[in-house]
Amino acid sequence: MEQILEVLQNNSIFTFTILLAVILTIPPLFERLRLPGLVGLLVAGVVLGPNVLKFLNPDSEILKLFSDIGKIYLMFVAGLEIDLEEFRKKKNRSLGFGIATFLLPLIIGTLVGRIFGLGWNAAILTGSLLASHTLLGYPIVNRLGVVANEAVTVTIGATIFTDIAALLVLAICVAIADGEFSALSLATQLVTLAIYSAAVLFGLDWAGKKYFERTGDEESNQFLFILSAVLMASVGAQVINVDKIVGAFLAGLAVNDVVGRGPIEEKVEFVGSTLFIPFFFVGMGLLLDIPAFVKTITSELGLTLAIVGGLIGSKFLAASVAKLLYRYSWDETLTMWSLSLPQVAATLAAALAGKNSGLLPESVFNTVIVLMLVTSILGPVLTARFGSRLPIPKTLTEPDSKKLAIEPEMLLGGVSVASPQGNSPESPQGNRDFGGKRSHPFTVVVPVYNPYTERYLVEMAALLARHESGRIVPLSVARAHVHMDEPNLALALKYSKQCLDRALDIAQEFQVEADSKVRIDDDVASGISRTAREQNANLIVMGWSENTGFRARLLGNITNNVFWSSHCPVAVMRLLDDPINFHTILVPIKNLQFRAVRTIRFAQLFADTNQASVTFLHVCDRHTPEEQVEQFQSDLSKIIELGPKVTSQIKTIPHEDPARIIIQAAQSFDLVVLRSIRYRTSGGLAVSHVTTSCVEELTCSLVLFGEPHS
């Protein structure tokens, strides 16, 4: 048996198969137990490693390679996910809180290290492990609708400072450990590091923008460019005697603005969160020496309690400093504290680097694992509790909102989201509000391909266009071939004409002007979005894409790419009946920010075409104060009154699972209108959201309403 295990351990195919099986099965099981999926990966590594089943050998070259790539990818994604836009909004306060939440844990962690017998270098590195934080609570504050709260924005912005500073401390400590310490060597290392950082941050940013400009829509080459950039930055870090994770993090920051929040970022994060980053966490579990781990918790309990307690206490002190400086409420202060508690990405990667360099003893490394487990559970729990008490940021309910003047794209089909007078500035396309004159007619582009869904889609587009005295543009996109006389292209064009003829017949039934278009394009999504722009469309109505598997997430599907590239809102529909039969509409509302209001307007617009009633459902946290719920309902009522006059009601239900409430409520409605929301990953692992759960389980007709570039 031992011989068989030895052979299997050194078999790269067997190792890769085991890792894939672990990634596929373990995280979902732990998430059902309300534990982070990454904890499951660590446990799987322990069970499969030399301490228990001995299926995987931590010393095998393939595991070392996977773990190294995962560690690099983890820090790259951490840099890529930092919202530079949020940082720029409140950069001074973000820097202030960042300095506090970095220095206080660094000092306390260093003192703990010295008390327990570590040298100055190792003690300072231990302190730096407590100084960064991972935004595991971001999806929670997003779900609660309080991301725009200043305290939350400041905490998110502070991440950029704490992560960079912690990694710089790691780089200096490792460099000192590798050679004899002197003032000259330290100065040389700092200068070299500064030059390297500037070269990565500005060089990759410039090169990335130039490359993306030249390659246009060649997403595969752009994806390879990003991967090459992070690996080159990691190699460059090692050349100047700095740990490779520093280069990976800087590369993430450098290409942050280049990739934006589009398909390339989604693919980069998908590959990382699906493969490489889970490999890193499994590798961490393999390195855990269970006897030493148990000994650390028992015989060295004081060290464990001191580091965990020091982290919790110092982060609280930092949040208290921000409260005094910026006069935040206690709820805002406690939310900042809870958001800055989790220690996952930078902490684990730096701890492993310190252990491999011989700086950190086994006891400190094991304590960091305990710290990760405690904070990754405690942080999100506290964020959910305190974040629910934050007031939801104000929206455009005030008539004097300045944002209306600078965001004319807030008009959907000429519908103002805020103006109580019914008049608003012209959009770039020249649209005006209901009842006003337009320089061009309200236009709905409706791509057609599937004969089974075509009628419902064209009917929906026709109802909306007729209500606004506008027109529809039925569109069929035929994929281009190298030779324009290809027989397959001729067949595709013939099929397109048949689809468009049916669409024109349906439009005639509803007495709506229709201008059909056939387009030959290399990419269907690009053909749709380009036609919409050429036709100055106000809305794209398109059918549902069931292609949501691995290939779709890696290469992108038509729906996702249209959402990203379109200039106007996109309504993706799964219609099970004629739209004229929809008389009850359910619209779940999470918050009242700009983009949510456009979803409200779309639902009101369709309800007005069909004399339907609309129910707005708000699922709030159980701990939400009553006065905050009442304020939300009052603000929502004002927004509803500013739109088309349709029968509507507001329902508020306190519950911890919004998806379940929405699915239950939808059973008595003809149509559900959901807003398309994308959450970024946290700690490298994908986060599910309410929209995804609802889409998978709803059995009624459904509209997924998305913003441009979403």
Side-chain angles (χ1 to χ4, degrees):
M1 184 65 180
E2 291 183 1
Q3 292 179 339
I4 296 175
L5 283 176
E6 186 176 348
V7 171
L8 291 177
Q9 284 178 351
N10 296 319
N11 187 309
S12 57
I13 300 298
F14 174 77
T15 300
F16 189 68
T17 303
I18 290 293
L19 288 173
L20 287 182
V22 166
I23 295 168
L24 181 66
T25 59
I26 300 301
L29 292 177
F30 273 71
E31 286 167 4
R32 288 193 175 187
L33 299 174
R34 298 189 178 275
L35 292 172
L38 59 88
V39 176
L41 295 173
L42 282 170
V43 172
V46 171
V47 173
L48 295 171
N51 293 291
V52 186
L53 297 178
K54 301 180 181 179
F55 279 178
L56 299 177
N57 179 12
D59 295 325
S60 70
E61 290 302 320
I62 186 171
L63 268 175
K64 287 182 179 179
L65 175 63
F66 285 157
S67 185
D68 276 349
I69 294 177
K71 181 171 63 173
I72 291 171
Y73 221 107
L74 177 66
M75 292 313 302
F76 171 67
V77 171
L80 192 64
E81 287 182 352
I82 289 179
D83 197 329
L84 296 179
E85 220 28 68
E86 294 297 329
F87 175 73
R88 294 180 185 118
K89 287 179 184 177
K90 299 289 180 182
K91 58 183 178 182
N92 292 332
R93 294 194 171 192
S94 292
L95 282 174
F97 177 62
I99 291 171
T101 199
F102 172 78
L103 284 181
L104 289 174
L106 175 67
I107 293 169
I108 290 178
T110 301
L111 291 176
V112 169
R114 292 294 293 161
I115 291 171
F116 284 88
L118 297 180
W120 276 109
N121 202 20
I124 292 173
L125 179 57
T126 301
S128 73
L129 297 179
L130 312 185
S132 63
H133 59 261
T134 305
L135 291 171
L136 289 185
Y138 180 85
I140 296 172
V141 292
N142 201 333
R143 173 175 59 82
L144 294 172
V146 294
V147 171
N149 183 282
E150 183 181 298
V152 176
T153 300
V154 165
T155 308
I156 295 171
T159 308
I160 191 171
F161 177 83
T162 58
D163 283 4
I164 289 177
L167 291 175
L168 290 180
V169 172
L170 168 69
I172 295 170
C173 289
V174 172
I176 292 173
D178 289 342
E180 293 184 4
F181 172 76
S182 68
L184 179 60
S185 64
L186 177 60
T188 302
Q189 183 66 52
L190 287 175
V191 171
T192 306
L193 188 58
I195 296 173
Y196 164 78
S197 300
V200 172
L201 289 173
F202 297 107
L204 281 183
D205 181 64
W206 175 82
K209 288 177 179 176
K210 290 294 182 183
Y211 186 81
F212 274 49
E213 286 175 5
R214 288 176 177 270
T215 55
D217 296 331
E218 297 175 17
E219 293 183 4
S220 58
N221 288 338
Q222 293 170 355
F223 177 72
L224 291 176
F225 173 85
I226 298 298
L227 288 184
S228 301
V230 64
L231 292 175
M232 286 190 295
S234 300
V235 172
Q238 291 177 299
V239 169
I240 64 167
N241 200 30
V242 173
D243 194 274
K244 49 185 169 286
I245 64 175
V246 178
F249 182 76
L250 292 175
L253 288 177
V255 301
N256 198 312
D257 276 336
V258 177
V259 300
R261 299 296 169 201
I264 298 299
E265 186 203 39
E266 184 176 315
K267 292 172 179 57
V268 168
E269 291 187 345
F270 168 67
V271 171
S273 62
T274 304
L275 292 175
F276 297 125
I277 295 174
F279 289 165
F280 167 71
F281 285 109
V282 175
M284 289 283 291
L286 292 172
L287 293 175
L288 271 180
D289 187 337
I290 295 301
F293 185 75
V294 174
K295 181 182 177 182
T296 299
I297 297 177
T298 54
S299 64
E300 299 189 48
L301 183 61
L303 174 64
T304 303
L305 293 177
I307 288 182
V308 174
L311 179 279
I312 294 173
S314 60
K315 292 294 185 181
F316 180 78
L317 285 176
S320 300
V321 169
K323 180 184 188 302
L324 293 175
L325 291 176
Y326 308 132
R327 298 183 179 180
Y328 293 137
S329 68
W330 271 113
D331 287 334
E332 290 173 322
T333 302
L334 293 172
T335 302
M336 295 176 77
W337 170 56
S338 62
L339 280 172
S340 61
L341 274 181
Q343 304 293 303
V344 181
T347 303
L348 284 182
L352 184 59
K355 179 178 181 292
N356 291 338
S357 66
L359 259 178
L360 295 181
E362 189 79 28
S363 58
V364 174
F365 180 75
N366 289 335
T367 299
V368 169
I369 299 298
V370 175
L371 178 71
M372 185 276 294
L373 295 174
V374 172
T375 58
S376 65
I377 296 172
L378 182 63
V381 169
L382 294 177
T383 298
R385 182 176 182 83
F386 299 128
S388 63
R389 299 176 183 175
L390 296 181
I392 296 175
K394 291 292 182 182
T395 63
L396 286 179
T397 52
E398 294 90 356
D400 60 348
S401 173
K402 295 180 180 179
K403 287 188 176 182
L404 185 59
I406 61 174
E407 295 203 22
E409 71 273 15
M410 282 304 303
L411 305 176
L412 167 62
V415 187
S416 169
V417 300
S419 174
Q421 290 80 17
N423 298 310
S424 69
E426 287 188 344
S427 70
Q429 292 79 26
N431 289 333
R432 288 191 180 274
D433 291 338
F434 275 120
K437 295 181 180 179
R438 299 190 182 93
S439 60
H440 83 283
F442 178 84
T443 302
V444 182
V445 169
V446 51
V448 293
Y449 178 79
N450 187 345
Y452 296 104
T453 61
E454 179 179 357
R455 178 173 183 85
Y456 293 164
L457 291 174
V458 176
E459 185 176 318
M460 173 68 82
L463 287 171
L464 295 170
R466 185 175 66 181
H467 182 278
E468 291 295 285
S469 303
R471 65 183 184 126
I472 66 171
V473 179
L475 169 67
S476 183
V477 181
R479 287 190 182 274
H481 290 256
V482 176
H483 303 292
M484 288 295 103
D485 57 353
E486 283 277 353
N488 287 340
L489 179 58
L491 289 175
L493 291 173
K494 181 180 179 181
Y495 181 77
S496 294
K497 186 177 185 305
Q498 293 173 350
C499 290
L500 294 177
D501 287 343
R502 287 195 298 266
L504 292 175
D505 290 340
I506 298 169
Q508 191 173 7
E509 289 180 28
F510 287 85
Q511 299 179 341
V512 174
E513 178 187 346
D515 182 12
S516 62
K517 299 290 181 183
V518 176
R519 188 181 188 101
I520 301 174
D521 207 302
D522 293 322
D523 180 73
V524 175
S526 297
I528 294 171
S529 58
R530 289 167 181 167
T531 301
R533 191 68 189 91
E534 291 164 359
Q535 297 297 316
N536 232 353
N538 301 82
L539 179 68
I540 298 174
V541 169
M542 58 188 295
W544 196 264
S545 171
E546 297 295 342
N547 188 13
T548 57
F550 181 92
R551 185 180 183 278
R553 292 188 66 185
L554 181 60
L555 302 177
N557 60 21
I558 295 174
T559 302
N560 289 342
N561 293 336
V562 172
F563 270 135
W564 167 248
S565 59
S566 69
H567 78 288
C568 63
V570 181
V572 180
M573 305 191 177
R574 186 179 68 194
L575 304 179
L576 308 180
D577 196 0
D578 287 303
I580 58 174
N581 295 328
F582 297 155
H583 299 294
T584 54
I585 303 172
L586 177 67
V587 185
I589 299 295
K590 182 183 73 170
N591 56 49
L592 299 179
Q593 296 175 5
F594 269 8
R595 297 190 171 189
V597 174
R598 286 184 81 165
T599 306
I600 295 172
R601 287 291 176 262
F602 171 80
Q604 289 180 302
L605 173 61
F606 174 68
D608 200 32
T609 68
N610 220 24
Q611 291 76 52
S613 63
V614 185
T615 298
F616 298 97
L617 175 63
H618 176 56
V619 183
C620 64
D621 190 272
R622 292 185 185 275
H623 303 290
T624 305
E626 185 64 30
E627 59 272 16
Q628 187 171 321
V629 173
E630 293 175 358
Q631 183 63 47
F632 181 91
Q633 292 178 334
S634 174
D635 290 345
L636 179 56
S637 297
K638 293 177 183 177
I639 292 174
I640 293 172
E641 290 172 3
L642 297 176
K645 306 305 179 187
V646 298
T647 304
S648 60
Q649 62 173 326
I650 300 172
K651 284 187 178 180
T652 300
I653 301 177
H655 202 276
E656 69 279 355
D657 189 352
R660 184 189 304 173
I661 296 301
I662 294 170
I663 292 166
Q664 290 176 352
Q667 295 176 4
S668 56
F669 288 86
D670 299 324
L671 177 69
V672 175
V673 179
L674 293 173
R675 176 183 160 208
S676 175
I677 303 174
R678 291 180 183 277
Y679 287 155
R680 294 174 294 170
T681 59
S682 290
L685 295 177
V687 178
S688 61
H689 48 75
V690 174
T691 301
T692 300
S693 301
C694 292
V695 165
E696 291 173 351
E697 297 190 39
L698 284 174
T699 56
C700 62
S701 294
L702 172 67
V703 173
L704 192 63
F705 188 83
E707 294 294 316
H709 316 308
S710 65

